[in-house]
Amino acid sequence: MSLADSSLAKAIQPVSVTVDRVSLSYGNHAVLKDVSLQVQPGEFFAFLGPSGCGKTTLLRLIAGFAHAQDGRILIGERDVTDLRPWQRDVGLVFQNYALWPHMTVAQNVAFGLEERRLPSAEVRKRVGDMLDLVGLSALADRRPSQLSGGQQQRVALARTLAVRPRVLLLDEPLSNLDAKMRVQVRRELRDLQRSLGITAIFVTHDQEEANTVCDRIAVMNSGVVQQVATPMELFSRPANLFVANFLGTANILAGQVDGVVYRLAGGTVMPVPAGTQPGSKLVLRSQDILLVTGNSEPAAGGIRLSGQVRDREFLGNTMRYTVGTAAGDLQVDVLITVTAMPQSIGDAVELELTPQRALYLTH
């Protein structure tokens, strides 16, 4: 996608999106609970969370397809809370793409422009520009049924961008693609957003998609924003146990804070940082636990746990072991090398825990 001379890129003025104390309920069911966040101008932002967490509802509120009982939505400095969808200058790419099956690719892209009664010459120019932008000029006369999933996604994106929205909204746009195509299209999406400089909000339940595409992520659960941060910050400094569990593999070790130590089930203790809250749980990422074989000595400050391999998964460049210990079943990622022999199910092993890698989190 070459955008150096794109008229769309020149026309876009990035804007912020502000969600201010928004709440929405359906009957007695609270879908969004006092949600506040701000998307910066030109940012690629994600709403990430499990099914039913409220992320798609929040996107629909920004688009104008739902209305909250409380709170405001601002695009730039403009309060759009009570405006109709077509008055908000936003573009939404639906999960199922919503292409007209009886129209050609070019006709689908032109649809929104014709509805706005733009001159025919302007419609033709914008359609041509958009198809060039997404690499589909040669397929302008095909029907959606004659396209691959990735090509259909590009048509939906071109149709949305043709009307020159101030904000691009993407509702799980990669969910209908196979794994290989998903990787390709998400890279194209990211390159496109960067080149245009448009503010984009991306809804997904897939943490890998959010991590690889977005500048910042709002992790949501049960209608509440749990944390807003960059992907690396969410992974290394999660705000609570839910965020730690949802992003990456988090081992929660059975035990409790007891003064200046964390007393693991089975009796092993680990020192805790000053200020650790009572009731916190010890959390270690799978790559932060060392699987030890032989008779090596622990590293300085290292804590050892005895265990037994209960399962293993081949993940390409790593082997993920599930090791049963007195503190629970722990998942451990071990880099695969040519010389190292993999552990077998049933093998007795030692695990080394490093206090500096430990997180102490509450619910």
Side-chain angles (χ1 to χ4, degrees), residues 66-92:
H67 192 81
Q69 284 87 10
D70 297 295
R72 301 184 304 158
I73 304 289
L74 287 85
I75 296 177
E77 301 299 321
R78 184 187 184 203
D79 188 338
V80 301
T81 308
D82 296 320
L83 297 183
R84 301 291 186 183
W86 56 87
Q87 298 172 314
R88 298 189 179 206
D89 290 333
V90 301
L92 175 60

Side-chain angles (χ1 to χ4, degrees), residues 138-197:
L139 306 182
D141 295 327
R142 289 194 184 180
R143 298 284 195 274
S145 61
Q146 298 172 304
L147 304 177
S148 69
Q151 289 167 340
Q152 290 182 34
Q153 196 271 351
R154 292 186 196 183
V155 175
L157 187 60
R159 181 183 59 187
T160 301
L161 291 173
V163 299
R164 297 183 176 175
R166 302 180 77 196
V167 179
L168 177 63
L169 306 176
L170 302 149
D171 184 11
E172 302 206 40
L174 310 181
S175 60
N176 294 326
L177 306 179
D178 61 54
K180 185 175 181 180
M181 182 59 68
R182 192 178 299 128
V183 172
Q184 176 185 331
V185 174
R186 78 186 185 204
R187 287 175 181 162
E188 292 174 350
L189 268 178
R190 182 54 169 154
D191 289 345
L192 181 65
Q193 186 274 334
R194 283 176 173 165
S195 299
L196 293 176

Side-chain angles (χ1 to χ4, degrees), residues 4 27 46-47 54 69 87 98 102 132 203 241-242 254 299 303 317 328 332 339 342 346:
F47 298 156
Q69 284 87 10
Q87 298 172 314
H102 63 287
D132 285 343
V203 163
L241 287 171
F242 176 83
I303 307 297
N317 63 339
V332 184
T339 57

